[in-house]
Structures are given as structure tokens and as C-alpha cells.
Amino acid sequence: MNIDYKALAQKYGTPLYIYDFDYITNRYMALKEAFSGHKSLINYAVKANSNLSVIAHLAKMGAGADCVSIGEVRRALDAGVDRYKIIFSGVGKRDDEIRAALEYDILLLNLESEAEMKRVEMVARELGKEARISIRVNPNIDPQTHPYISTGLHENKFGVEIDMAKRMYIYAKKSQYLNPVGIHFHIGSQLTNLDPIKESCGIVADLVRSLKAIDIDIKFFDVGGGIGVVYDNEKTISPTEYTQAVFEMTKGLDVTLLCEPGRYMVANAGAFFTKVLYEKQNGSKRFVVIDGAMNDLIRPSLYNAYHRIEAVGVTGEKTPADVVGPVCESGDFLGKNVLLPPLRHDDLLIVHSAGAYGFTMASNYNTRPKSAEVALEGGKDRLIRARETYEDQVRLELAYLHQDA
Ligand code: LLP
């Protein structure tokens, strides 16, 4: 697509998130296509980018939603996701969240501990409902990704061991208020190697076979999210390689395959636009100070993640510079040693691959307003979230200002 970056920056201001909805369409279609011939449901992981318009765009194509808070469930419902395509995961659900999920009658509550199962049973009993549940199994497989986004080892807080899962299924089967219909695993994010996924899939498929043998009929087999994307030049997993591996490992099981991709769907649909404020030199170190910061895009600071940064329409000899924001932290950078031409006030920088875990991890640190968000679709652009104002930020405090204790 021929995008006039400067015109967009001019129209909406910076810092700004822009998402190419046509790219999201293509990603969704490619994955759906790769599942063809099998019963499947793609539950978009809302945490990656929870803008209502993004969710609605995916919902229109038939996607479900993978949610980790009741807030995300509400977003999915508001965006038009069918309730029976919504699943609710997460290691720590509160009673009110469990109650709301049961009242919304979503597809599945995904359980991560025995204690949680008992809690869900109690809430379901109070409501006189039967909770459809799935259990997250921790297959103890090293996903070979960044330790902060690795989740499938026993040392991580997620899921339960195989033996415990089995005991939980047997308990749930006997309970009047629990209906164990699903199984789930998710070993980590930004996975670029298929082997750990395949291995986990095999372990969990074996468990399903043994459950079916004792008359516990698992209908939904959820392989989690985690498909890696290209940020730099890494080689990653294609949708067909992915589904072929899943088909191979679940062969003979009569199940609906669920998956929960977040990053795969939106990371490379998004870019973060920021303008140069100043250049400065501290000794031999060159800094480019921008109007975006770690509060807008925390991945570089938090995970040392790489995002390609490009200066739009500027020529000249490129030299390395740290691209830093105005936040009062040395960790506030979007790129280190980035090769950039000489830059002037108001030059536009584009930070690529920012569609996943960008805006959703943004904060108001330093009382910085959250960026606006814009969708590009069919050659047109439209605002999908207004830029936050100072008033938006202090709204919940003003009523209490200058009140006596
Ligand atoms: N399902 C579960 C249970 C998850 O925990 C996650 C991500 C997903 C699905 C979606 O994973 P994806 O397809 O996006 O890899 N903030 C980090 C990523 C944290 C991922 C947390 N869980 C980052 O910026 O890299």
C-alpha cells in the first residue's frame, strides 16, 4: 500500500499508532485457510491489541476472542464477538469475574489451578449454572523464547501438571456444576521454533486420549497462541507448518481445534509514529530525542526488544544513535545504536512492528497522555481511539482534590 506517512502524522498528530486492517485480514485468512478441513476456531488474543475496532474487524471475519480479564471479555462482547466464541483464561480470576463470565455464558472458562476450579464450582452452584471449563496443562517444555514470555515450564506460574490436570478432570466430571469440555496449553510467546509446540501438542493429545478412555469427552483442544513474527530478520513459523504439526499430533481425536494468536495477527500490522524533538551529543554518544517514549511502547525497555526504526524522507550519512523519549528513566529508549541520518526538529520516525503489545502496554507514566490510534483500510484512514487529554487523566482524581480527611 502507498501510505503517505507524513500526511497521516500531520492529520492525527504524534505520537500515534497506526494499524493496517487489510494486513490483519490477510493474516486471519491465511491462518483460517491453514486450518481448512478441520473444525477450528481462531480466538484472537485480545491482550495483544484490545482496541475495540481491531477486535470488531476480526469478529466480522468470524474470529473468537481469548480474554484474560472480564474487561477483555466485555471488550470482545462490545466489539461483536459471539459469546460462544469467547474464552476466559488467566491464573487469577476474581469471584466477580467468574460470576460475570458465567452470566455472559461464554464458551469456556480456562482453569489454571485446583483452587480456582473449586471457586468456579462454588460460584456456578450459587448461580445454579453449569460452568463449561477447560484446564490449562503445563507440559514442562522449554519454548526457547525470552524468559519473560515463556510460560510452559513448571517453574512458570501457568497451568497445572499432567497428573493434577487428570485429577481435576475426574473431579469436574463428577461435579454437577462443572462440565469439562476443553483442554489448553500455551507455552510462550514469539515462538519461532515449531518443535516445542509440536512436543507439547503431543503430550496434551496423549492426555486427551487417556481422558476419552475414561469417558471424559474433551471437545475443544486449544493450542494457545505464540506464533512468532518477524521483527528483524528472524525465521519464523508459517501458518501451514503450524497447523500441519497440530493436525499430525492430534490425529484421530474428534475435537475442535482452538488457537489463540495475538502477535501473529497484529504485530506487523502496526507502526508507531513519533517526531524528532532534538538531536544531542553527550561526548561521543549521539541521542535522538523523540516525542514518543517508553510509556507508549515499553517493549524495548522491558524486554530489550528490537523494533526497526526508520526516518521518513530524510537523506544523509547514517550514524548510530540511541532513540530516546522524554521520560525520566535511563531505560526510556525505543532503539539503541540505530543507524539514522542527521535529523531535525519535526522529522518523522516510524517504529515498525508495533501493533502487538504496544498500545495495550502503554501507561500514563510522567502524566503523558496515551497516543491516538488510527486504522487504515481499503486505502482510507480513520481514527479508532482519540488522543487522551490531561482532563481524561485527572478525571477520577479531581472530585477528591482539596477534600479534608
Ligand atoms: N494465550 C495465552 C494464554 C497467552 O498467555 C498469550 C500471551 C497468548 C495466547 C497470545 O500470545 P501471542 O500469540 O501474542 O504470542 N508482552 C509480551 C508478550 C506477552 C504474552 C503474554 N501471553 C511482549 O510484548 O512480547
Side-chain angles (χ1 to χ4, degrees):
M1 200 196 306
N2 217 349
I3 302 169
D4 188 342
Y5 296 116
K6 282 193 173 165
L8 288 170
Q10 183 70 27
K11 182 168 171 185
Y12 296 103
T14 56
L16 178 71
Y17 274 98
I18 302 231
Y19 313 119
D20 179 349
F21 276 26
D22 298 323
Y23 178 92
I24 298 175
T25 305
N26 292 339
R27 296 292 269 188
Y28 177 81
M29 290 304 184
L31 189 55
K32 194 68 202 165
E33 180 64 30
F35 271 109
S36 64
H38 291 74
K39 289 181 283 182
S40 69
L41 177 62
I42 298 174
N43 286 81
Y44 167 61
V46 169
K47 63 170 84 71
N49 185 323
S50 54
N51 185 289
L52 289 171
S53 301
V54 170
I55 307 171
H57 181 69
L58 283 152
K60 269 187 247 148
M61 294 186 280
D66 165 48
C67 304
V68 287
S69 69
I70 207 67
E72 286 192 353
V73 172
R74 290 187 63 179
R75 277 182 182 270
L77 289 166
D78 281 348
V81 180
D82 293 329
R83 60 171 178 75
Y84 58 86
K85 290 184 180 171
I86 297 176
I87 57 180
F88 182 15
S89 313
V91 284
K93 301 179 196 72
R94 292 190 315 261
D95 286 0
D96 59 299
E97 293 186 294
I98 297 168
R99 195 168 300 119
L102 292 176
E103 279 168 348
Y104 288 134
D105 201 19
I106 59 172
L107 178 64
L108 287 173
L109 265 112
N110 206 346
L111 309 183
E112 303 222 17
S113 63
E114 190 180 24
E116 187 189 22
M117 179 178 69
K118 299 279 173 68
R119 213 68 212 169
V120 168
E121 184 185 35
M122 187 194 83
V123 176
R125 185 189 303 118
E126 279 167 15
L127 294 176
K129 283 185 177 254
E130 187 187 66
R132 277 182 302 278
I133 59 153
S134 163
I135 294 172
R136 178 165 177 180
V137 177
N138 183 325
N140 200 24
I141 294 289
D142 183 356
Q144 299 154 22
T145 185
H146 191 290
Y148 280 17
I149 51 178
S150 149
T151 49
L153 283 168
H154 286 169
E155 66 194 60
N156 301 123
K157 68 178 173 180
F158 300 97
V160 297
E161 292 172 68
I162 302 277
D163 288 349
M164 169 57 88
K166 210 164 176 178
R167 284 203 295 281
M168 284 169 70
Y169 278 112
I170 291 168
Y171 179 94
K173 166 90 176 159
K174 288 191 194 131
S175 167
Q176 198 185 330
Y177 301 101
L178 299 172
N179 185 8
V181 288
I183 199 156
H184 175 224
F185 68 91
H186 169 84
I187 55 169
S189 196
Q190 184 55 13
L191 308 176
T192 51
N193 181 350
L194 199 54
D195 297 339
I197 306 179
K198 209 169 163 177
E199 207 177 326
S200 312
C201 214
I203 293 172
V204 177
D206 284 346
L207 175 59
V208 171
R209 287 187 192 96
S210 69
L211 291 172
K212 290 211 180 213
I214 51 170
D215 212 23
I216 296 173
D217 189 19
I218 301 298
K219 296 187 174 70
F220 301 98
F221 189 100
D222 183 345
V223 298
I227 308 173
V229 304
V230 177
Y231 284 99
D232 191 2
N233 50 20
E234 52 276 77
K235 183 177 168 337
T236 180
I237 303 163
S238 78
T240 38
E241 277 171 339
Y242 180 70
T243 55
Q244 288 307 320
V246 173
F247 298 158
E248 187 188 325
M249 303 316 281
T250 56
K251 215 173 167 157
L253 290 179
D254 180 21
V255 287
T256 297
L257 297 168
L258 265 54
C259 67
E260 308 168 349
R263 192 189 313 268
Y264 161 88
M265 220 58 101
V266 290
N268 279 315
F272 179 64
F273 285 35
T274 173
K275 277 193 172 170
V276 173
L277 297 174
Y278 316 105
E279 280 242 23
K280 68 184 276 184
Q281 192 86 23
N282 279 353
S284 60
K285 187 90 195 164
R286 177 186 171 205
F287 291 100
V288 173
V289 184
I290 54 173
D291 65 358
M294 68 188 288
N295 75 294
D296 302 300
L297 178 61
I298 203 173
R299 302 192 71 257
S301 310
L302 196 56
Y303 314 114
N304 213 9
Y306 171 83
H307 286 263
R308 186 165 65 83
I309 301 180
E310 172 195 4
V312 179
V314 189
T315 51
E317 194 198 340
K318 292 184 176 173
T319 59
D322 283 6
V323 177
V324 299
V327 165
C328 56
E329 303 262 353
S330 298
D332 177 25
F333 64 91
L334 296 195
K336 290 215 158 156
N337 294 314
V338 185
L339 285 175
L340 289 168
L343 294 165
R344 292 210 306 249
H345 190 83
D346 272 353
D347 279 342
L348 179 63
L349 297 187
I350 300 202
V351 183
H352 290 277
S353 313
Y357 308 106
F359 188 92
T360 47
M361 294 181 79
S363 77
N364 288 120
Y365 189 37
N366 285 197
T367 307
R368 289 174 52 85
K370 288 192 189 160
S371 319
E373 292 175 289
V374 164
L376 300 181
E377 193 175 4
K380 294 205 172 100
D381 50 87
R382 65 176 198 274
L383 194 63
I384 55 170
R385 181 179 161 117
R387 184 173 301 285
E388 213 172 39
T389 63
Y390 168 74
E391 286 71 24
D392 293 329
Q393 288 190 68
V394 295
R395 189 174 62 84
L396 299 173
E397 295 163 43
L398 273 185
Y400 307 100
L401 182 65
H402 302 315
Q403 279 195 342
D404 294 333

